[in-house]
Amino acid sequence: MRLPETILVVGGSGGIGSALCNRLHDDGHTVIATSRRPAVQGKAGAAYQVALDLQSSHLRADINGILDRFPEISTVIHCAGQNRLAGSADLSDAALDQMLTVNLRSAMTVGAIVGERFKARGHGTLVYIGSMLGHIGVPGYSAYCASKFGLRGYAEALRRELHHHGIEVLTVSPRTTRTAMNSETAIQLNEQLGNHADTAEYVAGRIVSAWEKSRARSPIGWPERLFAWLNSNFPFLVDKALSRQASTVESHLISGESH
Ligand SMILES: NC(=O)c1ccc[n+]([C@@H]2O[C@H](COP(=O)([O-])OP(=O)(O)OC[C@H]3O[C@@H](n4cnc5c(N)ncnc54)[C@H](OP(=O)(O)O)[C@@H]3O)[C@@H](O)[C@H]2O)c1
């Protein structure tokens, strides 16, 4: 276990985020959790709950404000995200912007600001919550996959950029997890396809373990990890397997504007 630290969890109000805050709190860490409406946030092990809108035009200033207020922060976990099951043609520009901004652009802004702060002190850890959909492109999630593939590339480059400054950049990639992020339709589709769903508490435990062991990449789930490997090395095999699911997915696609 790591010695007690002050940890910023961006997206600490979500299913995985609040399980993570609880776990870190139970392990003796001081947790600062952000979300858009911290006043209405439910239970969480966070000592401090701070408002932060990742789509804000003054995001840089807001993040700097949090780091000025809590200079002892030594780990930042980006655990915010948005997703919706929809055909690629059903997502408006606004819906695309929203997903890319929260899932990718905000992670890059956090990385740039926190990286400079940690560089100045010579240590620190940044953890990004990616997704197995950042390893495998699947129908119905094209925009989400684009954001998570992008996040994985960004985190890998940032890791290599900052490592010699004593800064760790880690990525944890969960598979489907039972949280409010997945709509009823998405849950039904997963059940029909036989995809396993983890609990948020299990995923939170895996994030903490990856952080404690400074593991650069932590894809979660079997056979998802095998599929990710196959997709990198023999993508035509995964094309074949997923094409068999295409009509089932299509029957579940709903307009991205409807929720
Ligand atoms: N659930 C899954 O199946 C799954 C699988 C793989 C990876 N992941 C990843 O795990 C992470 C956590 O997901 P989750 O399942 O816990 O989702 P969730 O329950 O829907 O929580 C999403 C979190 O993101 C925050 N957020 C969304 N839009 C925001 C914005 N504009 N500004 C500030 N915060 C915003 C939410 O805060 P508000 O209170 O402000 O809404 C909330 O804290 C995400 O990166 C997700 O992509 C999830």
Side-chain angles (χ1 to χ4, degrees):
M1 212 147 88
R2 280 169 74 141
L3 291 171
E5 279 190 39
T6 301
I7 302 167
L8 176 65
V9 180
V10 175
S13 62
I16 296 173
S18 54
L20 184 60
C21 291
N22 288 336
R23 169 65 194 269
L24 291 168
H25 169 80
D26 290 349
D27 287 353
H29 302 289
T30 301
V31 182
I32 298 146
T34 77
S35 70
R36 281 169 292 186
R37 293 173 296 276
V40 296
Q41 226 169 257
K43 64 160 183 93
Y48 302 92
Q49 299 185 353
V50 179
L52 183 68
D53 183 352
L54 297 171
Q55 292 168 256
S56 162
S57 56
H58 39 82
L59 181 60
R60 278 180 183 268
D62 293 345
I63 295 168
N64 273 312
I66 295 172
L67 297 174
D68 288 342
R69 183 174 161 202
F70 302 102
E72 64 279 21
I73 289 171
S74 51
T75 289
V76 174
I77 305 177
H78 186 287
C79 190
Q82 294 192 8
N83 188 11
R84 59 182 65 165
L85 171 65
S88 51
D90 291 329
L91 289 168
S92 67
D93 286 347
L96 279 178
D97 281 347
Q98 192 170 326
M99 218 186 293
L100 291 171
T101 300
V102 175
N103 297 2
L104 178 58
R105 176 66 185 265
S106 79
M108 295 169 73
T109 305
V110 165
I113 295 170
V114 171
E116 280 308 291
R117 297 264 182 156
F118 285 173
K119 237 161 124 175
R121 70 207 303 200
H123 67 94
T125 308
L126 254 161
V127 184
Y128 287 111
I129 310 308
S131 170
M132 288 312 290
L133 298 192
H135 294 259
I136 311 164
V138 301
Y141 293 106
S142 55
Y144 185 73
C145 287
S147 69
K148 292 293 185 176
F149 268 73
L151 179 61
R152 184 160 63 91
Y154 174 75
E156 183 171 274
L158 191 68
R159 173 179 173 76
R160 292 169 181 168
E161 187 177 314
L162 296 179
H163 192 256
H164 67 289
H165 290 285
I167 302 164
E168 292 291 354
V169 180
L170 319 176
T171 307
V172 181
S173 304
R175 62 178 168 186
T176 303
T177 309
R178 284 183 222 114
T179 71
M181 172 170 280
N182 298 304
S183 65
E184 271 306 310
T185 317
I187 292 168
Q188 280 169 18
L189 175 61
N190 276 324
E191 282 169 0
Q192 209 165 324
L193 296 176
N195 295 337
H196 184 86
D198 290 317
T199 64
E201 289 71 24
Y202 172 76
V203 173
R206 293 292 303 263
I207 296 168
V208 171
S209 159
W211 171 65
E212 288 181 344
K213 293 177 179 142
S214 294
R215 214 179 286 127
R217 299 166 190 86
S218 302
I220 299 179
W222 190 265
E224 288 79 358
R225 279 163 44 218
L226 170 65
F227 276 125
W229 181 84
L230 279 175
N231 200 43
S232 298
N233 294 285
F234 306 102
F236 56 92
L237 293 177
V238 179
D239 286 347
K240 244 187 201 165
L242 290 183
S243 72
R244 280 186 223 116
Q245 301 183 345
S247 57
T248 308
V249 174
E250 204 162 66
S251 69
H252 285 75
L253 292 186
I254 48 170
S255 166
E257 312 314 304
S258 63
H259 62 287

